Amino acid sequence: MEKSYGIEAARAQLGDIADHARSTGQVINLTRHGRPVAAIGPVAAIKPLVGVQVWLYLGDREAISYTFPGVPRIGESILVETPDGDEKFWDVVNVQWDIRPDEAPSVNVLANEPTKES
């Protein structure tokens, strides 16, 4: 059975709730007037409802907006298909979040071509 806490009661126990979620893997619902409004859970269990909009910078090319299932991590490889149908792997070397007042946060991902080993 899923655990749930009223949002006001959870405020005083937030640290304990977060520790419980991390150690058990359980997602805990926060409710307002008996209806779920938010959830606390281990990072791997909480997924966005839709993909994450990412500005992808491939080497020195102009940024391209893509929707990813999650935020890429440094060291991961991304397979990109070019307009002529070729495919090429790119290594993620930097992930930057831009957070500004009155704007939605944006994610910028810089990827370079893999280095060739000699």
Side-chain angles (χ1 to χ4, degrees):
M1 181 173 187
E2 283 188 359
K3 276 192 160 193
S4 65
Y5 289 85
I7 207 158
E8 292 300 321
R11 185 178 309 207
Q13 302 174 50
L14 186 57
D16 292 335
I17 293 169
D19 287 342
H20 177 79
R22 181 191 48 79
S23 64
T24 65
Q26 185 178 18
V27 175
I28 294 102
N29 288 315
L30 302 181
T31 62
R32 181 175 283 134
H33 306 293
R35 296 184 180 174
V37 294
I40 297 175
V43 173
I46 305 295
K47 303 284 184 199
L49 294 177
V50 296
V52 177
Q53 197 67 30
V54 171
W55 286 100
L56 182 60
Y57 293 83
L58 300 174
D60 58 357
R61 299 180 187 177
E62 293 277 330
I64 304 166
S65 178
Y66 284 101
T67 301
F68 281 74
V71 177
R73 294 188 175 113
I74 293 172
E76 290 182 334
S77 293
I78 299 171
L79 180 64
V80 178
E81 184 176 334
T82 60
D84 59 4
D86 288 338
E87 293 181 335
K88 184 187 260 185
F89 279 99
W90 296 81
D91 291 337
V92 175
V93 295
N94 194 15
V95 177
Q96 172 185 321
W97 288 81
D98 287 345
I99 301 173
R100 295 185 174 92
D102 303 322
E103 290 182 25
S106 64
V107 180
N108 301 303
V109 175
L110 174 62
N112 287 336
E113 292 184 64
T115 57
K116 296 180 182 178
E117 296 183 25
S118 309

